[in-house]
């Protein structure tokens, strides 16, 4: 069984250097929890570039293509309507809906893509067992990592030496 | 975290003497201050106001019900004025909605720091305004219960919407705009909902806010995706907001009617939308910041900047009016010329003069800094602009329609009580929704203001450093 080790730090410098120090140790789910995005956190945790832009691009192109295709299919192919002698396949008239669907698909993909990337909704997380962890969305700077239950003690000691203000261990399966 | 201390701060730039954030309150103080309206007790004033507006909402529901039961014959609309209050209200509300996206998306991309404190407020305004706007095209269909015929779906009728008409474009533009505005607004709310979950005093509130926070825990991995996602949403919102009112203006511009058939409509409508939207933000913000005690976060700097935007867009709208008249003359078309002469001398001329006063003259006071910083003047002018922009849409729509090409087909339009009920009732309903927002959700984006404070502190540091270097 794994345990989550949760530690609070007093300063941004301290938490970032702790993250850098722990990064190489093969801890799973090493993470920082802060009320605002922390400058340098991506680099300290060695995070890869976010895939969100690619999701947005692919969905946007797909949406625009869908928009154009449905219009062509509906008014030029399946049921051509002669309106004022305009050609059935009238590209300029298709621009607005093509654009709107591109934006719509892209925005929906960003929003729901983020939830997938975040692993949310996940209303409960082991870190929430720590009462003080509430401050992570107010003013606290927290670090969390998952580790084998046996190695938790060693990690606690290490976090203390790295300057953690308080450290707590939570078993993954809450009692 | 850093203790609150008074800022010598922004005074470093003599051109911008009013700070965007008063003092440098710490994260905890900010959280407490900004959540007070949500977590504090319900106020009597709020209850009274929402009751009064609730009554107005009842009037709105009554008017809606009458429209549904009787049909649109309950309105004053008739040929030749087939579009009147319904579409006027629609364009007016959707225009008001534009300020929210402009503030939250375009100003974000331009890195305007002053947008931070007012973006959630204006986005909420956008959502409710779009909700109000969306009602009108649906109820003016005549058989609104068949509104889904607007959507392209394979039906037994075996026909599709005609995508060569501007009206189906409108359906896509408005529904996309409503969806994207909601997603953008909700995305910005998630970290603050988590803050609410973690600071709420009662278990019920924690559970409710906790559900809507979806388990946000401020993780660096989450923030990384969040930041880029938020920026991309802003990037999408920027062309979207321009496209929406452009497409709304196409409803008119691609028709043949004098007064509608003009190529200046798209930019002129977008400018008008921003103009009325900022006016509405000012109208709502002046009382809200006072009552909720937000003067430290929404400072005179914000109001001053919004007044400047109102002045600038007011001038653009004035240019639009001028150009319409120029083209009416330059086109050499007698019908065009008459349509504009009819605005000045026809039976609806008082509305046109009111429009000129409210949209062209009134905002000119904002050339004077003292007027931009005078709350009473700001509030009164913002109300004028709201009225003026409604008048503008009425003049464009109903006044152009009532006298078109053939004098034999001219007519007059007189609103019925249902028309008035749908107009004023929608304002009350908007007010109810807005009051609920003020009571139950953080009006100011807490996480973003905390970030803003960090940025400002960083700048303070630089300013102090530069100063020290210059005078050793």
């Amino acid at each position: 069984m794994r345990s989550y080790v949760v530690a609070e730090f007093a300063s941004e410098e301290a938490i970032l250097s702790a993250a850098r120090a722990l990064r190489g140790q093969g801890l799973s789910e090493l993470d920082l929890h802060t009320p605002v995005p922390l400058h340098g956190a991506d680099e300290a945790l060695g995070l890869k570039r976010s895939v969100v832009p690619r999701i947005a691009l692919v969905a946007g192109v797909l949406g625009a293509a869908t928009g154009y295709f449905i219009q062509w299919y509906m008014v030029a192919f399946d049921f051509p309507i002669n309106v004022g002698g305009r050609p059935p396949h009238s590209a300029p008239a298709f621009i607005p809906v093509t654009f709107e669907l591109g934006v719509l698909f892209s925005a929906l993909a960003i929003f729901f893509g983020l939830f997938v990337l975040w692993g949310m909704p996940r209303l409960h997380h082991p870190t929430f067992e720590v009462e003080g962890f509430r401050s992570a969305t107010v003013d606290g700077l927290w670090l969390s990592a998952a580790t084998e239950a046996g190695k938790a003690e060693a990690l606690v000691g290490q976090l203390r030496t790295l300057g953690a203000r308080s450290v707590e261990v939570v078993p993954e399966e809450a009692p | 975290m850093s203790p609150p201390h008074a800022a010598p701060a922004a005074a470093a730039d003599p051109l911008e003497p009013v700070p965007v954030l008063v003092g440098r309150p710490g994260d905890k103080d900010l959280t407490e201050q900004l959540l007070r309206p949500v977590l504090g007790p319900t106020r009597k004033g709020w209850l009274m106001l929402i009751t009064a507006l609730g009554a107005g909402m009842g009037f709105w529901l009554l008017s809606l019900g009458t429209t549904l039961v009787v049909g649109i014959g309950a309105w004053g609309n008739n040929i030749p004025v087939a579009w009147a209050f319904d579409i006027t209200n629609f364009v007016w509300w959707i225009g008001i909605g534009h300020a929210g996206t402009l503030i939250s998306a375009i100003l974000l991309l331009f890195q305007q720091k002053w947008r931070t404190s007012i973006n959630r407020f204006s986005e909420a305004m956008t959502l409710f305004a779009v909700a109000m706007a969306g009602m009108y095209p649906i109820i003016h269909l005549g058989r609104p219960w068949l509104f889904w015929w607007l959507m392209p779906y394979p039906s037994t009728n075996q026909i599709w919407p005609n995508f060569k008409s501007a009206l189906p474009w409108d359906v896509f533009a408005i529904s996309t705009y409503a969806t994207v505005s909601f997603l953008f607004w909700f995305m910005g709310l998630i970290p603050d909902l988590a803050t609410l979950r973690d600071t709420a005093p009662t278990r019920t509130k924690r559970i409710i806010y906790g559900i809507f926070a979806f388990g946000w825990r401020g993780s660096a991995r989450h923030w990384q995706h969040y930041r880029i996602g938020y920026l991309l949403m802003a990037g999408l919102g920027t062309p979207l907001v321009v496209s929406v009112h452009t497409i709304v203006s196409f409803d008119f511009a691609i028709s043949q009617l004098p007064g509608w058939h003009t190529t200046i409509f798209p930019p002129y409508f977008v400018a008008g939308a921003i103009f009325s939207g900022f006016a509405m933000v000012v109208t709502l913000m002046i009382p809200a910041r006072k009552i909720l005690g937000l003067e430290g976060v929404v400072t005179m700097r914000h109001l001053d900047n919004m007044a400047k935007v109102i002045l600038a867009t007011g001038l653009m709208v004035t240019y639009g009016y001028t150009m319409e008249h120029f083209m009416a003359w330059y086109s050499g078309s007698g019908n065009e010329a008459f349509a504009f002469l009819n605005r000045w001398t026809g039976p609806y001329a008082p509305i046109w003069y009111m429009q000129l006063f409210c949209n062209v003259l009134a905002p000119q006071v904002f050339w004077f800094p003292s007027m931009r910083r005078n709350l009473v003047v700001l509030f009164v002018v913002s109300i004028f602009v709201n009225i003026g922009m409604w008048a503008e849409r009425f003049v464009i729509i109903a006044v152009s329609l009532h006298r078109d090409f053939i004098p034999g087909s001219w007519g007059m339009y007189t609103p019925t009580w249902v028309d008035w009920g749908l107009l004023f009732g929608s304002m009350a309903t908007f007010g109810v929704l807005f009051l609920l927002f003020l009571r139950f959700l953080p009006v100011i984006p807490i996480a973003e203001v905390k970030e803003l404070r960090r940025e400002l502190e960083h700048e303070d540091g630089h300013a102090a450093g530069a100063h020290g270097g210059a005078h050793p």
Side-chain angles (χ1 to χ4, degrees):
Chain A
M1 197 179 76
R2 295 191 312 168
S3 290
Y4 274 86
V5 179
V6 185
E8 190 185 12
F9 285 78
S11 76
E12 294 181 4
E13 293 76 27
I15 197 168
L16 286 175
S17 61
R20 274 186 219 106
L22 294 177
R23 194 174 115 194
Q25 295 186 7
L27 292 164
S28 54
E29 295 178 45
L30 175 63
D31 209 342
L32 307 178
H33 305 269
T34 49
V36 300
L38 206 56
H39 278 283
D42 299 1
E43 165 267 327
L45 292 172
L47 299 181
K48 278 183 288 186
R49 276 187 66 171
S50 173
V51 296
V52 175
R54 259 169 284 168
I55 296 176
L57 177 69
V58 170
V61 170
L62 199 71
T66 309
Y68 197 93
F69 174 78
I70 60 166
Q71 293 181 85
W72 166 83
Y73 175 79
M74 288 171 192
V75 301
F77 179 77
D78 188 47
F79 199 112
I81 308 170
N82 186 336
V83 183
R86 296 185 192 103
H89 184 178
S90 162
F94 295 169
I95 293 172
V97 173
T98 303
F99 171 78
E100 297 298 331
L101 276 189
V103 169
L104 182 67
F105 275 43
S106 190
L108 287 170
I110 292 173
F111 189 81
F112 292 104
L114 280 176
F115 274 82
V116 172
L117 290 168
W118 290 338
M120 279 160 52
R122 178 173 182 179
L123 296 190
H124 189 265
H125 190 267
T127 50
F128 291 170
E129 290 296 317
V130 179
E131 183 61 24
F133 189 75
R134 282 174 188 285
S135 71
T137 58
V138 180
D139 63 346
L141 303 171
W142 290 80
L143 180 149
S144 74
T147 180
E148 299 298 315
K151 295 179 186 162
E153 278 314 304
L155 185 58
V156 170
Q158 199 183 3
L159 280 166
R160 288 236 161 82
T161 16
L162 285 167
R165 193 196 269 170
S166 68
V167 189
E168 287 192 53
V169 182
V170 195
E172 191 168 29
E173 300 293 324
Chain B
M1 304 301 296
S2 58
H5 57 86
D13 185 349
L15 284 175
E16 298 186 340
V18 191
V20 286
L21 182 66
V22 175
R24 296 288 177 262
D27 284 349
K28 212 179 172 91
D29 294 314
L30 266 177
T31 308
E32 256 167 43
Q33 187 200 343
L34 298 180
L35 285 185
R36 206 172 294 141
V38 184
L39 298 178
T42 305
R43 299 180 190 207
K44 225 180 224 162
W46 184 86
L47 274 178
M48 276 157 56
L49 204 55
I50 201 164
T51 314
L53 291 173
M57 188 175 163
F59 190 35
W60 182 69
L61 291 173
L62 183 70
S63 311
L64 270 184
T66 311
T67 306
L68 290 183
V69 175
V70 179
I72 43 176
W75 300 350
N77 302 22
N78 210 334
I79 301 300
V81 188
W83 283 1
F85 269 31
D86 47 353
I87 302 301
T88 304
N89 297 345
F90 159 67
V91 181
W92 186 65
W93 275 121
I94 202 92
I96 286 172
H98 279 50
T101 320
L102 184 98
I103 290 174
S104 53
I106 299 184
L107 296 184
L108 175 74
L109 297 184
F110 286 144
Q111 304 193 329
Q112 292 294 308
K113 288 198 175 67
W114 61 278
R115 77 169 271 285
T116 301
S117 321
I118 54 172
N119 78 56
R120 166 100 25 92
F121 189 89
S122 13
E123 279 170 44
M125 184 198 74
T126 292
L127 276 183
F128 305 142
V130 173
M132 291 300 106
M135 292 299 302
Y136 295 103
I138 290 177
I139 55 174
H140 104 303
L141 291 174
R143 288 186 290 167
W145 47 91
L146 296 175
F147 75 93
W148 35 274
W149 284 12
L150 292 166
M151 285 293 154
Y153 70 102
S155 74
T156 48
N157 297 338
Q158 298 197 338
I159 55 166
W160 305 103
N162 171 20
F163 286 107
K164 283 176 264 179
S165 151
L167 301 180
W169 304 347
D170 228 17
V171 176
F172 281 82
I174 304 300
S175 50
T176 300
Y177 188 48
T179 313
V180 175
S181 306
F182 175 76
L183 296 179
F184 196 44
W185 176 76
F186 190 78
M187 208 172 138
L189 261 175
I190 292 173
D192 288 356
L193 287 168
T195 308
L196 261 169
R197 172 196 66 204
D198 292 342
T199 42
T202 65
R203 190 174 158 75
T204 323
K205 280 187 185 170
R206 271 182 216 166
I207 290 174
I208 294 171
Y209 287 122
I211 288 171
F212 287 107
F214 290 110
W216 178 265
R217 47 187 188 279
S219 150
R221 291 160 197 276
H222 294 180
W223 277 122
Q224 187 207 14
H225 296 309
Y226 176 93
R227 281 166 66 190
I228 189 84
Y230 196 76
L231 268 177
L232 285 171
M233 282 281 223
L236 289 172
T238 302
L240 177 65
V241 70
V242 176
S243 84
V244 172
H245 229 59
T246 300
I247 291 175
V248 169
S249 81
F250 285 164
D251 292 345
F252 306 101
I254 70 167
S255 75
Q256 309 286 323
L257 189 77
W260 288 9
H261 183 67
T262 163
T263 49
I264 201 167
F265 263 19
Y268 153 50
F269 265 51
V270 172
I274 296 163
F275 183 50
S276 64
F278 270 78
M280 189 57 107
V281 176
V282 170
T283 308
L284 297 172
M285 189 51 107
I286 288 177
R289 70 194 271 277
K290 176 88 189 151
I291 295 164
L292 302 179
L294 299 172
E295 281 115 328
V297 232
V298 182
T299 64
M300 284 315 292
R301 170 86 170 277
H302 295 97
L303 296 174
D304 185 82
N305 281 354
M306 284 194 276
K308 285 178 187 161
V309 175
I310 291 175
L311 175 62
T313 47
L315 291 172
M316 291 179 205
V317 168
T318 307
Y319 174 78
Y321 301 159
T322 315
M323 217 49 197
E324 276 185 320
H325 282 78
F326 172 75
M327 289 314 294
W329 166 74
Y330 189 68
S331 67
S333 154
N335 288 314
E336 282 283 334
F338 173 77
F340 286 89
L341 189 70
N342 186 43
R343 289 190 184 175
W344 290 90
T345 57
Y348 293 109
I351 301 175
W352 165 249
Y353 292 116
M354 186 168 77
Q355 170 190 343
L356 286 184
F357 171 76
C358 292
N359 291 355
V360 178
L361 278 185
Q364 303 308 321
V365 301
F366 289 152
W367 287 104
F368 304 100
S370 58
M371 296 288 115
R372 293 199 299 268
R373 286 165 205 162
N374 182 326
L375 288 181
V376 178
V377 172
L378 259 174
F379 188 73
V380 170
V381 172
S382 75
I383 298 275
F384 277 149
V385 172
N386 287 323
I387 297 172
M389 283 311 289
W390 189 88
E392 179 199 302
R393 274 68 180 255
F394 182 82
V395 167
I396 290 175
I397 294 166
V399 177
S400 301
L401 278 170
H402 92 117
R403 287 184 174 176
D404 59 0
F405 301 97
I406 306 170
S409 66
W410 288 359
M412 286 294 287
Y413 166 76
T414 322
T416 64
W417 70 267
V418 183
D419 286 307
W420 291 113
L422 286 172
L423 171 61
F424 291 114
S426 71
M427 293 180 197
T429 310
F430 173 83
V432 168
L433 292 170
F434 209 81
L435 282 175
L436 290 173
F437 162 69
L438 291 184
R439 179 72 187 90
F440 294 108
L441 289 171
V443 181
I444 310 286
I446 306 170
E448 284 185 51
V449 172
K450 287 174 188 167
E451 221 180 333
L452 173 72
R453 197 214 63 222
R454 282 171 171 74
E455 279 171 30
L456 292 174
E457 274 173 353
H458 194 67
E459 279 177 15
D460 296 349
H462 275 293
H467 196 258
H471 307 277

